Amino acid sequence: MAEAFDASLTAADFAGQPAAERLLGGSIPHALLITGMPGVGKRSLAQLIVRTLLCTGEKKPCGACPACIQLAAGSNPDVFVLRPGEHISPKTRDGSKGISVDDIREAVRLAGEHAYGAGNRVFVIEQAENMNESAQNALLKTLEEPQPGVVFLLLTDMAGMLLSTIRSRCREIQLHLWPDSKVLAVLRAHGVAEATALAAAQAAGGSIGRALAIASDTAWWERRKRLMEDFFGLEKRSDIPLVSADWREQKGEADALFDDLTGMVQTLMLVRYSRADKAQLADYPDAWQRMAQQGDAAAFVRLLDAISQAAMLRQSQVTWQAILEQLMLRFMEEKSKW
Ligand SMILES: [Zn+2]
């Protein structure tokens, strides 16, 4: 059975997503494929659609009818959620990590039964790309010959992995990445502190889910604080061997480290070109704040080049510590110019 559905989301939360707005403003077809990058709101949209379909109130979803109350409590018998490793019924629990053909067959069987409530039955298949070919084929006939009152919602960030026959039978609703202003508004609504919200929105690149995850990820903030001190805060060349030795254990996180550094340089660049607010630079040392006022394009390119060079050297024989020392030196040299 389903988990508790978030009762706070409304159609207004999808303003700025044309496909979702059109869908929510009209009638909902029997097979939908919701696509978009991770964290962009696919599950939130699916939950809103389920609440709209099952609600028996006047203005749907009303939040007050028995169906809405059951959904909020996670106990509505007319919604079924399938996702990798979770099974639709005890009968199909086979320990597999994907979405098995047995699960899909069971969903198809349940789709043929009468609804408990006023009419609709909804099947949500999250990470639908985890259905193998036979599972997808088992679903095909049901999508081809819709039964009244049965709706299938397929969610994926890898639509290309679904059979074209599945895709062609669904109406595709593509969600796009969100503007930073929207991401920030959601973070604020969740009570995230302003400085945290600004940095998380910047790092999340338009994914609300990723921004929320970053905002509550203490390891991410610790790494950012260390990067700020050890790369952006370096004062003396003679400190480099000592500081770089502190990162000896982080070799395995090199990709995340370079990604974060790139994001931090991009923040400087966005402020320089008035695409981001300078409040986002509150924790950068003064020299970098000056760079974000006066820096030329070449300065940013030098830094981004240095990071991508370091990432490339990871594949070579050069030692991790030597890569870090070289990169720290490049940051220190750049800082000294401003
Ligand atoms: Zn209702």
Side-chain angles (χ1 to χ4, degrees):
M1 210 51 49
E3 63 276 351
F5 277 34
D6 182 351
S8 67
L9 287 168
T10 69
D13 290 304
F14 290 90
Q17 295 279 359
E21 286 181 289
R22 275 195 300 278
L23 174 78
L24 295 167
S27 63
I28 292 168
H30 75 281
L32 278 173
L33 175 62
I34 305 176
T35 63
M37 303 278 277
V40 87
K42 297 184 293 295
R43 182 189 283 171
S44 296
L45 179 60
Q47 292 202 352
L48 179 58
I49 293 167
V50 170
R51 286 165 52 226
T52 305
L53 284 167
L54 298 184
C55 174
T56 56
E58 285 278 306
K59 192 177 175 294
K60 299 173 196 298
C62 71
C65 71
C68 281
I69 290 167
Q70 284 176 330
L71 282 168
S75 64
N76 190 302
D78 289 320
V79 58
F80 300 87
V81 180
L82 287 85
R83 60 171 75 101
E86 276 180 35
H87 302 281
I88 193 164
S89 128
K91 284 187 287 181
T92 58
R93 201 170 289 148
D94 62 354
S96 71
K97 293 207 163 56
I99 298 172
S100 70
V101 64
D102 287 344
D103 279 309
I104 297 300
R105 287 197 187 115
E106 180 65 4
V108 167
R109 190 187 69 77
L110 289 164
E113 291 187 346
H114 280 295
Y116 290 93
N120 288 313
R121 284 206 128 176
V122 192
F123 295 82
V124 181
I125 306 178
E126 295 185 1
Q127 300 172 55
E129 75 280 1
N130 284 279
M131 289 186 288
N132 62 22
E133 201 171 323
S134 43
Q136 293 187 49
N137 279 321
L139 184 60
L140 205 53
K141 192 159 175 293
T142 304
L143 298 183
E144 269 167 356
E145 296 166 10
Q147 303 166 65
V150 174
V151 176
F152 276 84
L153 306 179
L154 278 58
L155 281 54
T156 185
D157 45 43
M158 291 184 257
M161 288 178 67
L162 292 171
L163 298 176
S164 59
T165 42
I166 291 272
R167 292 183 71 175
S168 66
R169 279 156 187 79
C170 296
R171 174 157 150 206
E172 185 165 340
I173 305 296
Q174 197 187 352
L175 295 178
H176 301 286
L177 291 167
W178 295 90
D180 285 353
S181 56
K182 167 75 177 183
V183 179
L184 261 178
V186 174
L187 290 170
R188 287 178 185 134
H190 277 78
V192 176
E194 191 63 16
T196 305
L198 283 165
Q202 170 59 41
S207 161
I208 290 174
R210 179 157 156 71
L212 287 166
I214 288 172
S216 61
D217 179 355
T218 48
W220 190 89
W221 291 97
E222 276 164 26
R223 187 166 66 219
R224 182 189 156 92
K225 189 165 173 280
R226 285 184 65 201
L227 288 171
M228 195 59 82
E229 284 168 11
D230 291 355
F231 285 80
F232 293 85
L234 272 175
E235 295 287 346
K236 294 199 299 279
R237 206 183 168 110
S238 56
D239 288 342
I240 289 181
L242 208 66
V243 174
S244 66
D246 272 351
W247 290 86
R248 201 169 29 220
E249 307 300 326
Q250 268 74 41
K251 191 175 176 186
E253 303 168 30
D255 290 338
L257 189 154
F258 295 140
D259 279 355
D260 289 349
L261 272 182
T262 302
M264 289 160 87
V265 173
Q266 281 168 345
T267 302
L268 291 165
M269 207 155 80
L270 288 170
V271 171
R272 175 69 181 91
Y273 297 107
S274 307
R275 301 273 309 279
D277 193 283
K278 67 173 188 294
Q280 295 197 15
L281 303 181
D283 55 347
Y284 285 69
D286 291 347
W288 296 104
Q289 304 212 18
R290 284 191 293 277
M291 183 204 181
Q293 296 296 310
Q294 306 148 20
D296 50 2
F300 298 109
V301 171
R302 280 195 295 271
L303 283 173
L304 294 173
D305 270 358
I307 299 168
S308 46
Q309 258 179 40
M312 264 165 28
L313 283 174
R314 276 269 289 122
Q315 318 302 324
S316 72
Q317 299 296 317
V318 183
T319 67
W320 174 233
Q321 181 136 5
I323 294 170
L324 288 173
E325 287 184 4
Q326 176 64 20
L327 187 56
M328 285 173 176
L329 184 64
R330 300 279 295 269
F331 269 76
M332 205 191 76
E333 284 169 356
E334 194 60 50
K335 183 185 175 202
S336 68
K337 295 184 178 131
W338 304 98

